Amino acid sequence: MKAPNCYRGGFLSTLGPDMEKYMRMKRESGKAFARPSWDLRKFDQYCIDKGLGEPLLTRPFVDAWMASIRDLPPTSQEGLLSAVRGLADYIGTNCPQSARIPDRKKRPYKPESIFARHLEEFIETKLSLGLSYVQEQRALHSFDRFCCSQHISKAEQLLPELIDCWHGSRNRTPGMKDLRYVVREFCIFLNTRKGFNLEIIPQRFKESHPAENYRFRSAFAPLLEAFVQDKRDSGFSYDSERKILKYFDLLCVDHEVHRRELSKELVQRWSVRRPSESFGYRNKRISVIRQFAFFLVSLGHEAHVAPGSPHVVPEKPHIFKAEEIEAFFRCVDRLPLELPLMRLSAPVIFRFYYCLGLRLNEAVGLERKDVDLVSGKVEIRMAKNLKDRAVYLPDDLRTLAARYDLEIARSVPDRVMFFVSDVLGTKVNDTGLCRIFNLVWNATGFADTADKKPTIHSFRHTFVVRKLEQWYSEQVDYAYWLPYLSAHLGHSRLAETYSYIHLVDSAFPQIRCSTKAFEKMYPEVAT
């Protein structure tokens, strides 16, 4: 919609000079002021149409203008009121007799659906936890109005299809936050607190997590699905690899690959290192497609098998200092997360990583039966290279884990997973846990001074370093205890632990100078 021609030269009413000065003041303060500028042009046209003579606003004139916009949509009406209110306040600073635009006091929304009483109680529960819950309240009020419009009269009608229909009816823009999780939490509240037998929608949604629900659609689609299933039938989870195959599938779609032939040109295009991509991740991408090529050849298809990737020297990891660890756990113990059970789970699970040196998927994948809180034995099942192993909790962590288990059991008595994120016993999501880690790390005060950004895996590196430092200070025989450390870390070969020690060695030169015997334990270059 184009602006009227008369506005191309500026504002033309008697308030025009004041409007120009007001807009200039706003833009000099750093505000774009695009939408209010358009609203002021509409008000300027109204002033011209009504023949406003004096450069001030009288109360009758303001009342007549406000009456003229009552039939506009609420969003348009509020935009006009906001823009003209700011102009009126600006004029009033130089001309006190000019009328002001009163602030509209919004009446608080009163739920009216059959869930109204429970909805108010649920919101009050959230607010009592100290959460702002503004956007979530709006979503729940919108859902309440939708239930009224759909004439929902029984709790049994609150089905996932209804929630999806509400989600689709809202005015959404690309990238807008998917708020179905708020309704999901309300359904859990109705299910666990009020005794309603409701079907709970999945925790993840296609709109907010497209990678989790991606369907292959290139010419290789059925072969990619068969390849992933073959790997999973062999005992591999193959989740991160499937995400890599998603981008290979998209590459085939973008380049209009119609034949099921894995050509050398296509493999080379896939193998190009991306900007900001590490060499290690690039090698993993190539390795996945190399395995896919072997799979295609076994089925009789033509496929170029990429050569094996050269060995990449791992980057020096971040090793947490004592003060960083202290600050991290002080922050995580006070972290105000929205999910109450995650507030209980996060401090304990991060201590599992730090005290046991676990990989990311090993702690989140622990089941309740895997953790013996009497002996402290923790069973790590189907870890990397399909290895099982047992590690033991230190006494203080075992006491903390037992207290956590009792606390969680009050809300989720029959849970399967040891660490859960909600009252349904949902497994802690590793991606969400990484976001929490970043949030806590940024709150420690060390984020701007650290040598590099740490990850949850940095706890594992730190665990190894602290253990070697302890051995060094106590003059322990490294040759005797190193195989035990290798077994604790879940390494298949001792050489894997040797390469780990090289990383530690570069971070702590004092270990290199410890004893000659230690220097002879591993070759200068790990193989």
Side-chain angles (χ1 to χ4, degrees):
M1 181 175 177
K2 296 183 179 180
N5 291 335
C6 62
Y7 290 138
R8 294 179 180 177
F11 298 101
L12 302 180
S13 71
T14 55
L15 294 178
D18 290 309
M19 292 183 181
E20 293 285 0
K21 292 177 183 178
Y22 175 62
M23 285 182 58
R24 192 180 307 116
M25 179 188 71
K26 285 293 184 181
R27 285 169 176 164
E28 288 175 353
S29 66
K31 296 183 178 180
F33 214 65
R35 171 65 188 273
S37 171
W38 179 252
D39 288 329
L40 287 178
R41 292 183 189 281
K42 292 180 180 178
F43 183 67
D44 186 65
Q45 184 63 51
Y46 180 84
C47 293
I48 294 173
D49 294 341
K50 297 302 178 181
L52 181 66
E54 297 294 328
L56 59 83
L57 298 172
T58 62
R59 175 51 55 192
F61 185 84
V62 168
D63 292 341
W65 172 74
M66 292 179 65
S68 70
I69 65 172
R70 279 178 188 158
D71 295 334
L72 294 177
T75 53
S76 301
Q77 192 177 139
E78 186 56 40
L80 280 166
L81 285 170
S82 177
V84 178
R85 185 182 295 115
L87 172 67
D89 291 342
Y90 174 77
I91 296 174
T93 57
N94 300 319
C95 185
Q97 65 269 31
S98 182
R100 306 292 178 98
I101 307 295
D103 286 335
R104 280 194 172 182
K105 294 184 178 180
K106 293 184 178 180
R107 292 184 300 174
Y109 178 79
K110 189 74 175 174
E112 298 177 350
S113 70
I114 63 166
F115 308 108
R117 178 167 53 87
H118 303 307
L119 190 65
E120 290 179 331
E121 183 181 347
F122 174 71
I123 293 175
E124 186 60 35
T125 301
K126 290 291 185 179
L127 295 177
S128 66
L129 297 174
L131 304 175
S132 61
Y133 221 64
V134 175
Q135 190 177 15
E136 290 81 359
Q137 282 192 70
R138 291 173 181 167
L140 289 172
H141 292 162
S142 169
F143 183 70
D144 183 79
R145 288 191 292 269
F146 182 79
C147 290
C148 292
S149 67
Q150 298 297 311
H151 308 291
I152 302 300
S153 58
K154 297 184 295 184
E156 291 73 16
Q157 295 175 272
L158 187 51
L159 298 171
E161 292 78 10
L162 177 71
I163 299 173
D164 289 337
C165 186
W166 162 75
H167 176 67
S169 68
R170 302 179 67 221
N171 292 325
R172 294 181 293 116
T173 57
M176 183 178 178
K177 188 175 182 181
D178 187 341
L179 289 168
R180 280 180 292 173
Y181 79 91
V182 181
V183 182
R184 178 180 185 269
E185 289 183 357
F186 178 57
C187 292
I188 294 173
F189 174 82
L190 293 175
N191 199 349
T192 57
R193 297 279 191 90
K194 302 302 176 182
F196 290 98
N197 186 19
L198 301 177
E199 182 181 352
I200 306 300
I201 60 175
Q203 187 180 24
R204 290 185 162 222
F205 313 117
K206 182 175 180 180
E207 286 80 0
S208 55
H209 300 279
E212 298 300 316
N213 298 273
Y214 180 79
R215 291 182 178 274
F216 298 120
R217 49 194 176 93
S218 69
F220 291 103
L223 294 171
L224 288 168
E225 290 288 2
F227 171 60
V228 172
Q229 190 59 47
D230 179 70
K231 287 292 185 180
R232 289 176 173 171
D233 291 343
S234 301
F236 299 96
S237 63
Y238 229 65
D239 292 331
S240 62
E241 289 83 358
R242 193 184 192 283
K243 292 177 183 178
I244 290 175
L245 291 172
K246 164 199 169 182
Y247 294 105
F248 174 75
D249 185 70
L250 290 174
L251 176 71
C252 295
V253 172
D254 292 341
H255 288 83
E256 299 180 351
V257 178
H258 301 299
R259 295 181 58 193
R260 294 178 183 176
E261 177 186 345
L262 191 61
S263 64
K264 182 177 181 180
E265 178 187 359
L266 181 60
V267 173
Q268 288 178 336
R269 184 179 291 120
W270 170 256
S271 302
V272 174
R273 182 169 174 248
R274 303 165 182 165
S276 74
E277 183 181 40
S278 68
F279 286 102
Y281 189 77
R282 172 181 173 270
N283 286 354
K284 182 176 180 178
R285 286 197 299 110
I286 296 174
S287 176
V288 170
I289 296 304
R290 190 167 184 264
Q291 293 296 317
F292 181 54
F294 285 128
F295 177 77
L296 292 178
V297 171
S298 70
L299 297 179
H301 294 274
E302 295 185 14
H304 173 72
V305 179
S309 303
H311 173 72
V312 177
V313 178
E315 296 182 6
K316 175 184 172 181
H318 178 82
I319 306 300
F320 287 108
K321 300 175 183 177
E323 56 270 23
E324 292 176 344
I325 287 292
E326 182 181 351
F328 182 90
F329 285 109
R330 185 169 59 248
C331 290
V332 77
D333 289 342
R334 301 172 182 174
L335 187 66
L337 296 173
E338 288 189 6
L339 295 175
L341 296 192
M342 274 306 297
R343 285 203 296 272
L344 297 174
S345 297
V348 183
I349 196 171
F350 284 130
R351 284 174 169 85
F352 266 61
Y353 288 118
Y354 175 63
C355 297
L356 299 178
L358 302 181
R359 299 183 180 98
L360 175 59
N361 63 330
E362 292 175 348
V364 296
L366 286 175
E367 296 185 6
R368 199 175 186 183
K369 65 181 180 182
D370 297 331
V371 183
D372 187 341
L373 296 172
V374 177
S375 65
K377 183 179 180 181
V378 178
E379 296 278 356
I380 309 295
R381 305 180 191 275
M382 297 295 289
K384 188 175 180 180
N385 301 318
L386 306 181
K387 283 178 63 69
D388 295 347
R389 72 184 191 279
V391 297
Y392 285 84
L393 298 169
D395 290 340
D396 53 352
L397 183 55
R398 182 173 58 84
T399 302
L400 178 64
R403 192 161 63 243
Y404 164 81
D405 184 67
L406 288 174
E407 190 71 26
I408 292 293
R410 296 175 183 173
S411 302
V412 198
D414 300 321
R415 77 186 195 277
V416 175
M417 307 306 296
F418 188 75
F419 294 107
V420 297
S421 59
D422 58 36
V423 294
L424 293 181
T426 306
K427 173 184 174 182
V428 173
N429 177 260
D430 53 358
T431 304
L433 193 63
C434 290
R435 285 197 293 267
I436 294 174
F437 174 87
N438 293 333
L439 183 65
V440 176
W441 172 248
N442 291 333
T444 61
F446 292 99
D448 296 331
T449 59
D451 54 348
K452 67 176 297 184
K453 183 181 179 298
T455 63
I456 293 178
H457 202 72
S458 299
F459 286 127
R460 182 172 166 89
H461 294 298
T462 304
F463 170 82
V464 178
V465 170
R466 296 290 177 253
K467 184 56 65 177
L468 291 174
E469 284 186 322
Q470 178 187 347
W471 288 352
Y472 171 67
S473 63
E474 297 176 359
Q475 298 183 347
V476 169
D477 183 3
Y478 293 95
Y480 177 80
W481 286 106
L482 197 63
Y484 289 94
L485 177 61
S486 180
H488 178 97
L489 295 172
H491 289 160
S492 299
R493 298 172 295 122
L494 201 57
E496 295 181 42
T497 313
Y498 292 161
S499 62
Y500 232 107
I501 294 176
H502 270 294
L503 294 176
V504 175
D505 195 17
S506 64
F508 290 86
Q510 66 267 30
I511 296 177
R512 178 180 298 176
C513 304
S514 58
T515 62
K516 292 183 179 180
F518 181 55
E519 288 288 343
K520 295 177 181 178
M521 282 184 56
Y522 52 89
E524 188 63 29
V525 178
T527 58

